[in-house]
Amino acid sequence: MSSCFAKLPRIVAALLTCMLFAILTDCSSTHTTPPPVLVVSSGSGQSTTVGTAFSAPLVALVTVNGKPSVGVSVIFTAPSGPGCTFANGTNTETVTTDSSGLATSSICTADTTSGGYSVEAATLPAAGADFSLSNTSGPPAAIAATSGTPQSASVSTAFANPLVATVTDVNGNPVSGASVTFTAPATAPTGTFANGMATETDITDANGNATSSTFTADATAGGPYLVTATVTGVATPATFSLTNK
């Protein structure tokens, strides 16, 4: 019996060691909560005309260990110029994830500057995710002669520079894909474009510029005379002052 009592301290020590190991193991990294993961769910890749609302909200998904994370605050932040504003009238808003782990923004409205940009959704300590949006120009509101005026050329020879007209919307953004018609006077002195006629139509590029083909003076000296550039929806044409020497 006495030998059993003699071993008691060692048994107690062993039990305490096992308990301590269990406690340490329970606090080990295997039980550490992993950080949340935030990804774009829907709403990226949209475009809308400047000053108008996008058709769909921006939706971010937050998960932890692959499962939806509920009640997480997600901050949506848009730039400005180009950019957009949320329903609160600012370029940022905070939304809480629902039972599916989704944070859904209010509808964002494009500002008056055209161009592409990214709206960030973020929640710490997760890495942010970007939504790609684009504000497109409005319809033509103005046309201006930006290059090729004034200039002169000898009769029956080509003018040195093409005629360039720039089309913009009401906010001054360049309008791409607009049809611009260049028209020279019907009577001498005048000239012709590469198609052999006194008129041609060209399409504006990404910068809103429509560039004519080479314009050649006719055989009559005189001027200056005006070549006009017109675009549908704009009453006042752009004018180019040319002279045949």
Side-chain angles (χ1 to χ4, degrees):
M1 179 69 73
S2 61
S3 62
C4 290
F5 283 110
K7 296 177 180 179
L8 188 59
R10 284 181 288 173
I11 295 173
V12 172
L15 288 172
L16 290 173
T17 300
C18 288
M19 291 173 64
L20 180 60
F21 178 79
I23 292 172
L24 292 174
T25 302
D26 188 61
C27 295
S28 69
S29 60
T30 58
H31 289 77
T32 300
T33 302
V37 175
L38 187 152
V39 297
V40 170
S41 178
S42 65
S44 186
Q46 299 183 79
S47 64
T48 193
T49 304
V50 291
T52 65
F54 286 91
S55 60
L58 311 180
V59 183
L61 172 64
V62 181
T63 59
V64 174
N65 265 345
K67 298 180 180 180
S69 187
V70 181
V72 176
S73 293
V74 175
I75 302 172
F76 292 90
T77 304
S80 59
C84 65
T85 55
F86 296 98
N88 61 8
T90 74
N91 68 339
T92 184
E93 73 173 4
T94 301
V95 181
T96 302
T97 56
D98 60 18
S99 59
S100 299
L102 297 174
T104 303
S105 77
S106 61
I107 295 294
C108 212
T109 298
D111 63 19
T112 57
T113 303
S114 63
Y117 54 95
S118 294
V119 176
E120 183 189 40
T123 183
L124 296 177
D130 290 333
F131 295 80
S132 178
L133 300 180
S134 180
N135 301 349
T136 58
S137 300
I143 185 170
T146 48
S147 180
T149 184
Q151 60 178 323
S152 61
S154 299
V155 293
S156 302
T157 64
F159 285 85
N161 300 307
L163 313 182
V164 181
T166 302
V167 179
T168 53
D169 67 9
V170 69
N171 297 299
N173 298 303
V175 178
S176 63
S179 296
V180 173
T181 301
F182 294 93
T183 304
T187 58
T190 185
T192 55
F193 295 97
N195 59 6
M197 301 176 66
T199 184
E200 74 170 15
T201 298
D202 297 284
I203 306 300
T204 57
D205 59 19
N207 296 314
N209 295 326
T211 303
S212 76
S213 62
T214 298
F215 188 73
T216 300
D218 68 8
T220 302
Y225 56 90
L226 298 180
V227 176
T228 62
T230 58
V231 63
T232 300
V234 180
T236 304
T239 57
F240 299 82
S241 178
L242 304 180
T243 301
N244 298 354
K245 299 186 295 181

